[in-house]
Amino acid sequence: KKDTRRKSQGLFSALSPRERVRRLYKKKLAAAAARMEPGDRDSLELRTAREWERKLSLDGMADLYEQARYSDREITGTDVKKMKDAWK
């Protein structure tokens, strides 16, 4: 099991910070979906990052995701850490 975990960590760290922020967003949203009402779960793809940020009370998450998704600004390791911390 250790080898599998190490391999998956290696794959995640091989991603650019931009890709890591986007992947964290999607992963955490999917995890939150398990606790959502069926109607909300069915609308995962229909809502924006801003709407999910308000609904889940996660300040700063939408800004980070939108910057990683749409902006030309460099995304850094600090941004990745902020995205991780937004879900704690």
Side-chain angles (χ1 to χ4, degrees), residues 26 29 40-48 51-52:
K26 290 176 183 181
L29 190 58
D40 286 336
R41 206 172 317 136
D42 293 340
S43 67
L44 277 177
E45 299 296 323
L46 303 176
R47 294 180 189 243
T48 66
E51 290 171 326
W52 283 119

Side-chain angles (χ1 to χ4, degrees), residues 5-58:
R5 190 176 77 230
R6 190 174 299 159
K7 185 176 182 181
S8 67
Q9 286 174 347
L11 293 175
F12 183 75
S13 64
L15 298 174
S16 71
R18 180 176 305 278
E19 293 165 328
R20 291 171 72 184
V21 166
R22 292 180 65 194
R23 180 158 302 173
L24 281 167
Y25 170 80
K26 290 176 183 181
K27 181 179 177 183
K28 298 299 184 173
L29 190 58
R35 297 183 307 270
M36 292 178 187
E37 296 292 322
D40 286 336
R41 206 172 317 136
D42 293 340
S43 67
L44 277 177
E45 299 296 323
L46 303 176
R47 294 180 189 243
T48 66
R50 295 254 173 226
E51 290 171 326
W52 283 119
E53 180 182 67
R54 280 191 299 274
K55 188 159 187 67
L56 300 173
S57 301
L58 297 168

Side-chain angles (χ1 to χ4, degrees), residues 55-66:
K55 188 159 187 67
L56 300 173
S57 301
L58 297 168
D59 295 332
M61 179 200 72
D63 282 338
L64 289 168
Y65 176 76
E66 289 172 352

